Amino acid sequence: MTQRVELATVMDRLAVDELITEYAVAVDDGDWATYRGLFAPDGRADYRSAGGIEGDAVEIAGWLAESMELFPMRQHLIVNRRVRFGTLEHDTGDTAHVQADYVNPMRFAGHDGGSRAPDFVCGGRYAFVLVRTYEGWRLREVVVREKWRHSPERQPATP
């Protein structure tokens, strides 16, 4: 492998990593315009394993905007990112597959129990498929595979 190819691979890995981070920040901040812009025109997402829907980026952004109103505080972390650049069929390296774990603490709207701890935490694994476009790397597919969820018991208020 030449230095030029190695540098291009490093640059692609950084761009892919940035896109995944932008995805997490857009969801956590409720920035649905940015969320939609992260997807390729044919991009789709599947949140069914977490009780959601499957659809194109516009449908999913609408569903997320509505369902995330329940959780005004959210901060999901995407970790253990495994990136593989594509060699499927006639692919020339313009696709990437990313597998990454997530942990997502959230607080329900109206929570006033005095605790700063989340009311709800879930975790699982994402499967992302990315494609290189003229605008840069974009999401073609996002599949959420929720593995667990926990809703801590609320402690009774002390007088």
Side-chain angles (χ1 to χ4, degrees), residues 9-143:
T9 301
V10 169
M11 301 280 290
D12 281 337
R13 283 187 180 274
L14 290 171
V16 164
D17 188 67
E18 182 176 344
L19 180 65
I20 301 304
T21 298
E22 289 297 323
Y23 168 89
V25 171
V27 171
D28 291 344
D29 290 351
D31 185 348
W32 308 119
T34 295
Y35 177 89
R36 288 187 301 272
L38 299 174
F39 284 80
D42 62 345
R44 299 188 65 78
D46 183 348
Y47 288 81
R48 291 177 293 183
S49 78
I53 66 169
E54 187 272 336
D56 65 31
V58 172
E59 293 170 309
I60 296 297
W63 171 78
L64 283 170
E66 184 178 317
S67 58
M68 290 297 112
E69 287 179 9
L70 296 172
F71 306 102
M73 188 287 295
R74 52 193 179 267
Q75 182 182 29
H76 81 292
L77 308 172
I78 302 177
V79 299
N80 300 334
R81 301 173 194 199
R82 223 185 242 169
V83 178
R84 303 287 184 259
F85 289 102
T87 55
L88 300 173
E89 295 182 23
H90 301 291
D91 186 7
T92 58
D94 289 334
T95 63
H97 294 257
V98 179
Q99 175 182 297
D101 296 329
Y102 71 89
V103 176
N104 187 4
M106 298 181 281
R107 180 172 297 124
F108 287 114
H111 176 86
D112 60 355
S115 170
R116 295 190 180 260
D119 297 313
F120 179 85
V121 182
C122 61
R125 182 164 287 162
Y126 280 109
F128 296 100
V129 177
L130 290 75
V131 61
R132 187 192 317 265
T133 70
Y134 289 112
E135 291 81 34
W137 287 96
R138 294 292 182 265
L139 298 167
R140 177 173 279 162
E141 181 178 84
V142 177
V143 177

Side-chain angles (χ1 to χ4, degrees), residues 137-154:
W137 287 96
R138 294 292 182 265
L139 298 167
R140 177 173 279 162
E141 181 178 84
V142 177
V143 177
V144 176
R145 294 186 180 103
E146 185 176 277
K147 293 183 175 188
W148 60 271
R149 61 174 58 186
H150 178 68
S151 189
E153 295 292 325
R154 290 195 176 164

